Amino acid sequence: MTAQAEARQLVELIAGPVRLGENVKAALARVARLTGLGDRRVRGIWNGEARRIEAEEMDRLRRAALDASTLEDVDRAYRAHLARLRACREILGHGALGQAASRQAAFRLPAADAAGRVDHAELGLAGAQDRPVDRGGRR
């Protein structure tokens, strides 16, 4: 596979599926923002107009594609975990004991929107007391 073909595949992987209401130009701008490459450069790679791809550009594309792939895998695992928790809640909620309400409260799960995103503040996993992770670097 040529470098141009691989770079185009990486741009496609990083862009992912085009979001509702988003056009291709906006998706390519998002790729440019994630990779640090220019908008015109990313569009040139996408359209097959790039005659050569520098090693640094390819490294940036590969790193961003790996990050996008990892994020997608984590999101898929998270959604599967929430589905299993909801199934447990349903099973425990229909049990023979009369404590169905307390069981439901113990397994309270946030409602998901159409895209499957969940408000973590509802679970108490995120909120005003949360602070960004300190990476130990000096500013």
Side-chain angles (χ1 to χ4, degrees):
M1 173 184 310
T2 65
Q4 292 87 351
E6 182 183 359
R8 188 181 191 296
Q9 279 186 338
L10 291 171
V11 167
E12 186 175 345
L13 180 72
I14 297 166
V18 177
R19 300 172 183 159
L20 186 63
E22 182 181 47
N23 57 17
V24 174
K25 187 175 182 179
L28 294 179
R30 188 168 19 96
V31 171
R33 194 174 48 253
L34 290 171
T35 59
L37 300 175
D39 285 349
R40 290 185 59 93
R41 184 62 176 162
V42 172
R43 276 189 275 136
I45 291 170
W46 175 261
N47 293 324
E49 298 166 353
R51 293 183 185 230
R52 68 186 183 120
I53 310 293
E54 294 180 13
E56 179 192 353
E57 293 173 331
M58 192 63 84
D59 289 342
R60 287 182 179 188
L61 288 170
R62 286 180 181 138
R63 191 173 3 197
L66 180 62
D67 291 346
S69 176
T70 302
L71 185 61
E72 186 178 317
D73 291 343
V74 167
D75 186 51
R76 189 178 309 115
Y78 175 70
R79 287 175 197 244
H81 183 67
L82 280 180
R84 286 192 300 273
L85 285 174
R86 284 190 180 95
C88 288
R89 181 181 65 179
E90 290 299 317
I91 290 169
L92 291 174
H94 297 329
L97 298 176
Q99 302 169 349
S102 63
R103 288 180 180 169
Q104 292 255 341
F107 280 99
R108 83 182 196 293
L109 296 171
D113 62 5
R117 291 185 298 261
V118 174
D119 180 17
H120 290 93
E122 193 176 319
L123 277 177
L125 297 176
Q129 74 276 9
D130 290 344
R131 290 170 284 167
V133 176
D134 182 18
R135 297 183 187 257
R138 296 181 188 239
R139 293 180 189 197

